[in-house]
Amino acid sequence: MKYAIITGSSKGLGASTAKQLLKAGVHVVGIARETNDSLLQVAKETGATYQHFNCNLSDTNQLDRTFEKINDQVFKKDTELVYLINNAATVKPIDIATRLTSEAVQAHMQLNLIAPILTTSLVLKRAKHCGIKTVITNVSSGAAGRSTYGWSLYGSSKAGLNRYTETVALEQAELKTGHQVILFDPSIMDTNMQGDIRSTSPEAFQDVEQFKQYKADNKLSNTTDVANVLVKILLDDTAIINGKYYSIKDYL
Ligand SMILES: NC(=O)c1ccc[n+]([C@@H]2O[C@H](COP(=O)([O-])OP(=O)(O)OC[C@H]3O[C@@H](n4cnc5c(N)ncnc54)[C@H](OP(=O)(O)O)[C@@H]3O)[C@@H](O)[C@H]2O)c1
């Protein structure tokens, strides 16, 4: 049996990825603050199981407790492979550095950077203990590689995630564990996150008009198309290149 643990499964790319994996017969465990009942319906139709855990990933205690339970459920005798997809993230707050509050900075970094670091560590530790192969995908963004006015937090949290992922991949390779850690950059998609970006003021985000234009010109990808690519990469697990930055631009 194969299991996938997906953070941010309630909507956007996470929900589409959960759906595609269920259709491929992979059992899915989803994590978000809200539920998405359509995934239960998909599970019913496919025979794979979908289980949802309500968790605010910005809260470390909740994260620890949730992953203890999830690891107990997925790392079992008859499990051949566990996927972890660290997808949940926020672009907010968008603003210049001098207007960011401590609370907002902390919540952002906790969700976008600390949570995937903690989940990667918890899952790899359990995988080592149980001797079950694990493939971890950390969802990145082109924003990690360039500076965007108003996006100091989002750009730096994703840049940190890139360095973290590449370092863990190197460690796993050196240790010959067989576990793989990759990055996946979905590029611009038509989700709530893009709605958050478009609703920002030009004072906070200079390029807001350009992002409104992306939507008007239909330049945003559909999450189903992006998830199809990610799931194809993941299902062909012997071809996955540990530490690789997979970009949707090479596929769509
Ligand atoms: N959309 C784009 O154009 C774009 C571009 C490049 C990269 N990305 C990356 O792609 C990934 C998915 O983005 P998306 O556009 O699909 O985002 P989205 O539609 O805003 O969905 C975000 C998901 O994260 C969950 N989430 C947010 N805060 C959370 C919290 N505190 N605790 C637990 N779950 C939380 C949300 O669930 P709840 O609200 O139910 O908690 C939701 O399921 C992200 O890593 C993003 O950085 C997106």
Side-chain angles (χ1 to χ4, degrees):
M1 282 203 288
K2 290 181 180 178
Y3 283 89
I5 307 166
I6 306 176
T7 70
S9 57
S10 61
K11 47 182 94 82
L13 177 63
S16 296
T17 305
K19 202 178 281 183
Q20 298 306 325
L21 283 167
L22 286 168
K23 284 185 181 166
V26 177
H27 301 288
V28 175
V29 175
I31 302 152
R33 293 163 303 177
E34 291 169 9
T35 52
N36 177 340
D37 291 340
S38 73
L39 294 174
L40 288 171
Q41 191 52 42
V42 177
K44 243 186 221 164
E45 288 157 14
T46 61
T49 58
Y50 177 75
Q51 202 183 352
H52 183 82
F53 283 81
N54 275 84
C55 174
N56 180 356
L57 292 163
S58 282
D59 179 328
T60 303
N61 289 330
Q62 275 188 43
L63 182 152
D64 280 341
R65 281 200 305 272
T66 304
F67 269 78
E68 183 71 31
K69 284 186 210 151
I70 292 173
N71 278 341
D72 285 348
Q73 289 195 22
V74 305
F75 286 99
K76 294 187 301 200
K77 233 174 158 187
D78 51 356
T79 303
E80 58 180 283
L81 180 60
V82 174
Y83 297 107
L84 166 65
I85 303 170
N86 281 310
N87 159 80
T90 182
V91 70
K92 295 193 285 189
I94 295 176
D95 213 338
I96 58 169
T98 47
R99 281 198 292 259
L100 301 172
T101 66
S102 330
E103 291 77 17
V105 170
Q106 210 137 12
H108 179 99
M109 286 299 173
Q110 188 80 34
L111 176 65
N112 284 21
L113 183 57
I114 297 174
I117 288 175
L118 296 176
T119 60
T120 296
S121 169
L122 291 169
V123 167
L124 280 176
K125 261 186 241 168
R126 187 65 76 96
K128 182 178 182 219
H129 178 74
C130 300
I132 293 171
K133 185 178 171 180
T134 293
V135 175
I136 301 179
T137 306
N138 289 331
V139 178
S140 188
S141 164
R146 59 176 177 269
S147 298
T148 307
Y149 187 103
W151 289 21
S152 60
L153 291 183
Y154 188 65
S156 54
S157 62
K158 291 293 186 184
L161 186 62
N162 286 4
R163 173 58 61 225
Y164 173 78
T165 306
E166 286 159 8
T167 307
V168 177
L170 176 150
E171 292 167 355
Q172 295 300 307
E174 288 292 323
L175 294 166
K176 299 188 173 32
T177 62
H179 304 311
Q180 293 169 310
V181 194
I182 61 167
L183 289 156
F184 179 71
D185 174 1
S187 196
I188 48 174
M189 302 175 288
D190 199 1
T191 65
N192 287 3
M193 185 175 278
Q194 285 289 326
D196 291 338
I197 294 169
R198 289 192 300 273
S199 64
T200 314
S201 73
E203 289 72 39
F205 178 40
Q206 282 182 343
D207 300 337
V208 66
E209 283 309 318
Q210 188 188 342
F211 277 73
K212 287 181 182 168
Q213 206 54 50
Y214 289 152
K215 173 75 174 167
D217 294 345
N218 216 8
K219 290 261 171 64
L220 305 175
S221 308
N222 176 314
T223 56
T224 303
D225 297 339
V226 178
N228 273 336
V229 170
L230 174 58
V231 168
K232 239 183 219 157
I233 293 168
L234 293 178
L235 291 180
D236 192 5
D237 58 277
T238 53
I240 291 173
I241 300 169
N242 184 39
K244 182 172 168 167
Y245 186 101
Y246 287 88
S247 170
I248 194 71
K249 289 180 181 164
D250 295 330
Y251 297 85
L252 286 185

